[in-house]
């Protein structure tokens, strides 16, 4: 018998899991907590060198809004991670196509957040990415609360 679980699990997917998706994970968890929503996020990438630190500018941009992602280490997307999540959130259209092809589970995969990869950019590029994530994750929480 399956035990009912209340907490909704989200999984943010990007390419390398060092920039966008760890930022999304940290921002989501802070916003859900602030709003009293029983949800938690993890993140993973589809082309990952496991165990990588998050990009320094990603850490700095998040720290400015009270989100600490400094302990994050990059994780490769796995079947277990995919199937334990209630909603899988791709950061762009390419990620959505890859996820839909790989897992054939269109129900679970949301529309892409449509946030550009800040990889290699300066702090301002990461701040713009962060602000976009805050906006899009706010909308996601409004819709799925």
């Amino acid at each position: 018998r399956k035990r009912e679980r209340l907490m909704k699990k989200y999984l943010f997917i990007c390419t390398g899991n060092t920039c966008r998706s760890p930022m999304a994970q940290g921002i989501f968890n802070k916003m859900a907590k602030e709003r009293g929503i029983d949800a938690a996020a993890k993140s993973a990438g589809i082309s990952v060198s496991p165990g990588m630190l998050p990009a320094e500018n990603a850490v700095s941009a998040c720290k400015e809004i009270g989100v600490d992602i400094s302990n994050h280490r990059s994780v490769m997307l796995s079947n277990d991670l995919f199937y334990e999540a209630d909603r899988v959130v791709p950061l762009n259209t390419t990620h959505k196509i890859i996820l839909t092809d790989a897992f054939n589970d269109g129900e679970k995969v949301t529309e892409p957040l449509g946030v550009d990869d800040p990889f290699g950019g300066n702090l301002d590029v990461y701040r713009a990415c962060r602000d976009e994530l805050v906006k899009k994750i706010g909308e996601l929480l409004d819709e799925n609360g």
Side-chain angles (χ1 to χ4, degrees):
R1 209 168 93 212
K2 238 172 115 178
R3 217 174 84 222
E4 279 301 306
R5 61 186 166 83
L6 296 172
M7 182 170 287
K8 211 167 180 186
K9 294 180 178 176
Y10 285 76
L11 180 64
F12 289 92
I13 301 295
C14 73
T15 307
N17 193 224
T18 59
C19 302
R20 285 174 292 181
S21 58
M23 292 171 77
Q25 174 185 344
I27 291 165
F28 180 97
N29 288 332
K30 178 176 191 272
M31 290 176 74
K33 190 176 178 186
E34 287 171 354
R35 293 176 181 210
I37 295 171
D38 198 14
K42 289 183 177 178
S43 65
I46 52 177
S47 179
V48 173
S49 304
M52 300 269 293
L53 291 165
E56 205 173 299
N57 285 335
V59 174
S60 300
C62 284
K63 191 173 279 175
E64 291 176 352
I65 60 162
V67 173
D68 182 4
I69 63 168
S70 60
N71 291 325
H72 175 81
R73 298 297 175 268
S74 59
V75 177
M76 184 72 156
L77 175 62
S78 66
N79 286 347
D80 287 351
L81 278 172
F82 183 90
Y83 289 111
E84 79 177 17
D86 298 304
R87 307 297 284 155
V88 179
V89 186
L91 272 287
N92 69 27
T93 307
T94 307
H95 301 135
K96 180 176 172 106
I97 292 165
I98 291 167
L99 288 167
T100 311
D101 286 354
F103 293 98
N104 197 18
D105 190 344
E107 290 296 296
K108 185 178 280 208
V109 180
T110 69
E111 281 308 301
L113 285 189
V115 177
D116 290 336
D117 192 351
F119 184 77
N122 64 21
L123 185 54
D124 285 338
V125 171
Y126 278 83
R127 284 179 177 134
C129 176
R130 173 202 67 203
D131 294 345
E132 187 74 3
L133 285 168
V134 167
K135 180 175 165 280
K136 299 277 173 78
I137 289 166
E139 292 165 4
L140 188 70
L141 286 167
D142 289 342
E143 288 165 25
N144 299 284

